Amino acid sequence: MTGVAWELGLLAGLASRGVELARADLVVGTSAGSVVGAQVCSGVPVEQLYAAQLRPATGEVAARFGMGAVARLLWAGGRTRDEVRSRARIGAMALAARTPSEASRRAVIEGRLPSSRWPTRRLLVTAVDAASGEFVAFDSASGVSLVDAVGASCAVPGVWPPVTIGDRRYVDGGVRSAVNADLAAGAEAVVVLAPVSSAFGPMPRLSAQLAALRRGARVAVVAPDVAARRAIGRNVLDPARRAGAARAGRAQAAAVADEVAAVWG
């Protein structure tokens, strides 16, 4: 919830200063970023998307992602150095967890998207196979509906239900990496918006992904500043924090606009 709001606030603030990231040729969305990616690629003006974040969060379901949930993830995935095995262990925990129904969660995700159709621009939506630990990046050619792809990318293990696609079930793309920035390899300019950038166990570190990207690209990274972290709060799934997080993102844009513009050109 707060990641979506902060990113849209930041995008709106940057656009108001002439830095229009929503025109990117490629958008890679992980978890909250998958919602934002689908929204900005839909053609709806980013200012309108930002304004929606300031309204009451009707249709959203409150949930808690605190230290207990983090501890369960660490316990499930941090006991091996094998990336795929780590993800599969987290997936097994997610499959066994008591969560709301898939149908109720799908309705929430669908309500967040301006369109249920894949955009014409290239959008990659990341997820992880809950059983095998395989990392996937859905796109318009994958044969998967946009709503299901975004729902899978937002399926926080232990909080929301894994999403059924075909005969497989999928969880949050953040199980592999909080940003999956390496999927932008080959681009000339990359801007990473990272409401969360931490990693544990064998997860790829953002620093390593950025180092690889910088061998051939101009790269800028924006994470929440102190004021934004305060607005986001400790529970990133709290709908009551949405408007404050959005405003904090927009305010932060003033401080990072020059740095991002230097990369974006």
Side-chain angles (χ1 to χ4, degrees):
M1 284 294 298
T2 54
V4 172
W6 174 79
E7 288 188 32
L8 287 172
L10 188 65
L11 288 168
L14 289 171
S16 72
R17 290 165 173 79
V19 186
E20 299 190 31
L21 298 183
R23 293 184 177 181
D25 298 314
L26 167 67
V27 176
V28 178
T30 293
S31 201
S34 70
V35 175
V36 175
Q39 289 184 342
V40 301
C41 289
S42 70
V44 176
V46 69
E47 190 65 35
Q48 185 175 329
L49 296 170
Y50 166 72
Q53 296 297 302
L54 305 182
R55 295 195 286 269
T58 56
E60 292 288 348
V61 178
R64 184 157 190 83
F65 189 72
M67 292 307 298
V70 172
R72 288 191 293 272
L73 285 174
L74 291 170
W75 174 252
R79 293 176 292 155
T80 175
R81 295 184 179 180
D82 184 281
E83 288 184 39
V84 177
R85 182 177 295 180
S86 173
R87 297 196 293 262
R89 286 180 172 176
I90 294 173
M93 179 269 287
L95 290 168
R98 296 182 63 182
T99 64
S101 70
E102 282 193 62
S104 65
R105 180 61 177 163
R106 192 180 197 278
V108 171
I109 296 297
E110 189 168 20
R112 292 180 180 178
L113 306 184
S115 172
S116 59
R117 300 178 62 181
W118 283 92
T120 55
R121 269 187 299 153
R122 192 166 184 230
L123 170 66
L124 299 181
V125 176
T126 67
V128 168
D129 186 307
S132 69
E134 178 188 5
F135 174 67
V136 297
F138 297 116
D139 62 13
S140 60
S142 63
V144 174
S145 79
L146 179 61
V147 175
D148 287 337
V150 172
S153 193
C154 292
V156 180
V159 178
W160 304 123
V163 171
T164 302
I165 298 175
D167 61 353
R168 311 298 296 179
R169 299 188 74 192
Y170 294 88
V171 295
D172 199 312
V175 169
R176 189 260 180 174
S177 164
V179 291
N180 293 297
D182 53 333
L183 295 186
E188 294 179 0
V190 179
V191 177
V192 179
L193 307 184
V196 177
S197 59
S198 57
F200 64 89
M203 292 175 67
R205 268 48 181 177
L206 176 59
S207 57
Q209 294 179 0
L210 296 177
L213 287 172
R214 285 179 172 130
R215 296 188 189 109
R218 304 184 305 276
V219 180
V221 183
V222 184
D225 60 13
V226 173
R229 291 197 300 271
R230 188 179 301 116
I232 288 169
R234 294 184 178 182
N235 179 18
V236 298
L237 303 180
D238 184 358
R241 293 275 185 169
R242 187 172 79 169
R247 292 189 181 97
R250 184 166 194 133
Q252 186 178 351
V256 301
D258 288 346
E259 176 189 355
V260 175
V263 166
W264 203 241

